[in-house]
Amino acid sequence: MVELGRRTALGALGLGGAGLLLPTRSAAALRGGGPARPIHADFADKRGMLLHRQRAPLLETPFEVFDKSVFTPNDRFFVRWHYADIPLDVDAATFRLTIGGAVRQPRALSLPELLRLPRVDVNAVNQCSGNSRALFSPRVPGAQWGNGAMGNARWTGVRLKDVLALAGVAAGARRVRFAGLDRPPEGADWFAKSLAIDHALDGEVMIAFAMNGAALPVLNGFPLRLVVPGWYSTYWIKALDQIEVLAGDDANFWMAKAYRIPTAPGASVVPGAKDFETTPINRMVPRSFFTSHAGDIAARAGAPINLRGIAMGGASGVARVDLSWDGQNWQPATLGRDHGQYSLRAWSAQLTPPAGTHVLRLRCTSTSGQTQSATPVWNPSGYMLNTIETRRVTVA
Ligand SMILES: Nc1nc2c(c(=O)[nH]1)N[C@H]1C(S)=C(S)[C@@H](COP(=O)(O)O)O[C@H]1N2
Ligand SMILES: [Mo]
């Protein structure tokens, strides 16, 4: 059982006056009387999650949540930690974010100091590299996520660029590495990820202190997390408390050995392939999903089928979402409101197919012209699945 400690001195965050509310329900209040597993309610700040692992927590968002809104509520937002030793009780008053390495002036910033910087917002999808891994065929090891290892939120914070400017990046800096308050077991590398210096300074990468207008839930990285719009969430370091500017390469296990994808197009290789060139996982790719129908669709002849869903462009916006009965001819769905290029976007369509059994295909094309894979994606780590979605439609 994960026991969540009380967050102390929350006033130091200055969130009260900003209208940012903190969850008030205790872990105890959420326990007992709820539905049986796998819908899990034992984690404070979370309800109705699919439990993949208790320690370190892996909680998936049930897919029906995505039918209600393109923004994922904080209490339904997925959770993924690598190591069991995670920060459950952070003292906001004594918390410091350190910036060191190849900088002119190493810093240790308190939360109030950080919050003095200009604030920025971005609507962005946070998606695990291994989202949908359970759909890989042949099967690959790792958390057997369905499609719910992702979420979309409005992130509020400060620009990484502004934070780095407080320390002054030294000439010759190559990368910026990030780590949080979680701790590895004896002998293992810290969970740390790094970005190329130009990316870190692009003005888009941010350090968020709020999610959908509230403080970050403990399990999603209270009090601070990195937000890397358009990139897989392995880079979105939670409970971020260390920034290190590197003058050279990053030899840490989590960059040099893990979270690497084939350099082949679509990150796809022949199942079973081993000796292929790899590169660190990076930008997300377009995806789209049905939310109106979880499985096969049954309809009456002549009656329209109302379809709904969500789409993401990946590293750029959603240009279009299309449906097809044959994989050749595509017809556009109607797009919902544009909440920004990194956000989920709703789509809808009304179709009246003739009697018979059909396969309906769905795909998103991004504003940079990328589209979903028509053939099954496969790599041994189970990353970046973005194969075209299908539904069997029977009209009688
Ligand atoms: N400190 C820390 N940050 C982390 C991780 C972690 O293990 N430790 N996991 C990363 C991975 S792989 C994912 S998928 C996301 C999950 O973010 P979430 O739990 O807020 O949904 O956190 C990322 N940030
Ligand atoms: Mo992940």
Side-chain angles (χ1 to χ4, degrees):
M1 184 78 55
V2 172
E3 290 291 342
L4 296 180
R6 282 166 50 82
R7 294 169 221 163
T8 48
L10 287 163
L13 252 179
L15 295 179
L20 295 166
L21 299 173
L22 292 162
T24 50
R25 285 172 303 177
S26 68
L30 286 170
R31 215 168 283 137
R37 283 175 192 177
I39 299 291
H40 192 75
D42 282 352
F43 293 90
D45 301 355
K46 297 288 167 188
R47 64 192 174 89
M49 303 297 286
L50 301 168
L51 177 70
H52 285 271
R53 187 176 69 193
Q54 185 97 11
R55 267 182 108 231
L58 294 178
L59 309 177
E60 178 170 346
T61 303
F63 211 72
E64 60 267 22
V65 170
F66 298 101
D67 192 43
K68 300 194 184 92
S69 169
V70 290
F71 289 98
T72 316
N74 291 2
D75 60 357
R76 313 300 304 273
F77 207 99
F78 89 100
V79 174
R80 194 269 190 265
W81 292 88
H82 289 77
Y83 295 140
D85 184 356
I86 61 172
L88 296 174
D89 191 4
V90 180
D91 181 352
T94 55
F95 176 88
R96 294 290 181 277
L97 172 64
T98 63
I99 307 146
V103 294
R104 286 196 293 275
Q105 173 66 62
R107 302 289 299 255
L109 301 174
S110 68
L111 288 168
E113 283 173 314
L114 194 87
L115 287 160
R116 260 177 238 139
L117 292 170
R119 296 190 185 185
V120 286
D121 294 296
V122 68
N123 299 326
V125 174
N126 172 25
Q127 181 183 214
C128 182
S129 317
N131 190 24
S132 317
R133 184 180 286 119
L135 306 175
F136 272 73
S137 176
R139 181 190 157 101
V140 291
Q144 296 299 301
W145 298 113
N147 291 328
M150 65 171 183
N152 187 43
R154 181 171 190 78
W155 308 94
T156 304
V158 298
R159 290 184 193 91
L160 174 61
K161 179 178 120 175
D162 294 344
V163 174
L164 288 172
L166 294 177
V169 171
R174 295 270 309 277
R175 303 189 65 81
V176 184
R177 183 157 64 192
F178 309 90
L181 292 164
D182 43 337
R183 293 290 174 267
E186 185 82 39
D189 278 14
W190 285 47
F191 187 77
K193 298 293 293 185
S194 62
L195 300 174
I197 187 75
D198 291 353
H199 187 186
L201 294 173
D202 75 357
E204 282 199 343
V205 179
M206 65 186 264
I207 297 175
F209 55 83
M211 177 177 168
N212 295 323
L216 298 172
V218 170
L219 293 173
N220 299 105
F222 179 88
L224 300 175
R225 87 174 303 166
L226 199 70
V227 167
V228 189
W231 284 49
Y232 284 97
S233 51
T234 179
Y235 294 96
W236 298 38
I237 294 295
K238 300 192 281 187
L240 172 71
D241 75 329
Q242 290 179 59
I243 300 179
E244 186 189 0
V245 179
L246 305 178
D249 290 337
D250 185 354
N252 182 289
F253 174 84
W254 297 102
M255 286 301 296
K257 298 275 189 283
Y259 284 102
R260 297 183 71 93
I261 55 166
T263 50
S268 231
V269 291
V270 175
K274 279 194 189 76
D275 294 322
F276 48 83
E277 204 188 318
T278 67
T279 190
I281 194 166
N282 49 85
R283 293 174 187 81
M284 296 193 288
V285 288
R287 299 196 72 178
S288 55
F289 303 90
F290 295 93
T291 59
S292 53
H293 298 80
D296 293 354
I297 301 172
R300 273 182 302 110
I305 307 171
N306 289 310
L307 297 158
R308 289 184 307 279
I310 51 170
M312 55 183 278
S316 55
V318 173
R320 49 190 299 136
V321 171
D322 296 285
L323 294 145
S324 173
W325 297 109
D326 59 7
Q328 312 286 327
N329 303 292
W330 295 87
Q331 48 183 303
T334 303
L335 296 181
R337 186 168 154 202
D338 184 359
H339 294 282
Q341 65 168 332
Y342 300 116
S343 176
L344 284 180
R345 191 159 180 185
W347 65 266
S348 61
Q350 195 176 65
L351 301 177
T352 312
T357 298
H358 316 277
V359 175
L360 180 60
R361 294 168 179 81
L362 170 72
R363 75 172 191 204
C364 170
T365 304
S366 73
T367 51
S368 62
Q370 254 189 314
T371 193
Q372 295 186 231
S373 179
T375 51
V377 171
W378 198 91
N379 55 63
S381 302
Y383 293 151
M384 291 178 74
L385 188 106
N386 83 329
T387 315
I388 286 172
E389 295 284 312
T390 59
R391 286 290 180 276
R392 184 167 298 276
V393 179
T394 305
V395 180

